[in-house]
Amino acid sequence: MVNIQKKAIERVRAVIINSNKILLINRIKENNSYWVIPGGGVERGESRKQAVKRECLEELGINVQVERLFLRRIGDKPGMEGQHEFFYRCSMVSGKVGTGQGPEFQPGTQYNGEYEISWVDLKKLPDINLKPQEVKNRIIKEYLANK
């Protein structure tokens, strides 16, 4: 009997911090507002780093340099349990924030609600609803704890 193991779905996110601000996306749908780190799924034949770069171009309109793995976790969001999430520390190298043309911004796709991209002051991070909490806590620990 052959055991065919299904590969876990992988998602990547870009932690982009510049001048004490972090680039986030405010998701507003069905009267629910929360913040997320930009990113998305890794496509077939694509490395995680390639996926981070593609997602930043699609979602944000910018090119990034992937610097290091910041955090790895197993997803626990309803409907996405068990997905492997990789958060990479990145820096912006070119492009203009807000010019992304990904499917999130196209009418008639499975994406609903609003996507508002913003540079958020790191000092405000403890007071906003950034998901997942584990990543929010790590960013606060690394970037705010000693300031």
Side-chain angles (χ1 to χ4, degrees):
M1 185 170 198
V2 177
N3 182 12
I4 299 173
Q5 191 171 9
K6 186 178 178 185
K7 186 177 178 188
I9 293 173
E10 293 185 344
R11 301 187 69 74
V12 293
R13 307 269 179 215
V15 178
I16 304 168
I17 297 171
N18 189 6
S19 301
N20 293 315
K21 293 181 186 238
I22 183 168
L23 193 54
L24 300 175
I25 299 175
N26 187 213
R27 293 286 291 120
I28 304 163
K29 55 183 179 180
E30 299 171 11
N31 297 323
N32 187 14
S33 176
Y34 57 95
W35 296 83
V36 296
I37 306 283
V42 178
E43 295 178 354
R44 181 186 294 278
E46 188 176 50
S47 73
R48 291 183 202 116
K49 288 182 178 182
Q50 288 170 328
V52 170
K53 291 178 178 184
R54 177 185 47 76
E55 286 289 342
C56 286
L57 192 57
E58 286 179 4
E59 280 193 350
L60 307 171
I62 63 171
N63 292 298
V64 297
Q65 177 179 330
V66 180
E67 296 169 356
R68 66 180 171 91
L69 182 63
F70 180 73
L71 184 120
R72 178 182 180 172
R73 69 186 295 272
I74 303 296
D76 53 5
K77 180 180 173 183
M80 297 181 144
E81 298 94 341
Q83 292 187 7
H84 292 249
E85 295 181 301
F86 299 86
F87 292 78
Y88 288 92
R89 185 69 174 83
C90 299
S91 58
M92 184 173 143
V93 293
S94 66
K96 183 178 178 197
V97 172
T99 61
Q101 298 294 317
E104 310 76 7
F105 303 105
Q106 306 302 320
T109 65
Q110 79 269 22
Y111 296 94
N112 60 10
E114 297 176 47
Y115 289 75
E116 295 179 2
I117 302 165
S118 297
W119 285 103
V120 176
D121 192 313
L122 283 171
K123 292 178 197 162
K124 294 181 179 178
L125 209 52
D127 301 321
I128 68 169
N129 183 16
L130 176 62
K131 296 182 180 191
Q133 187 70 40
E134 180 182 354
V135 175
K136 176 181 175 177
N137 292 344
R138 173 80 181 267
I139 294 168
I140 289 170
K141 180 181 176 186
E142 284 202 22
Y143 294 95
L144 290 177
N146 300 325
K147 295 190 180 196

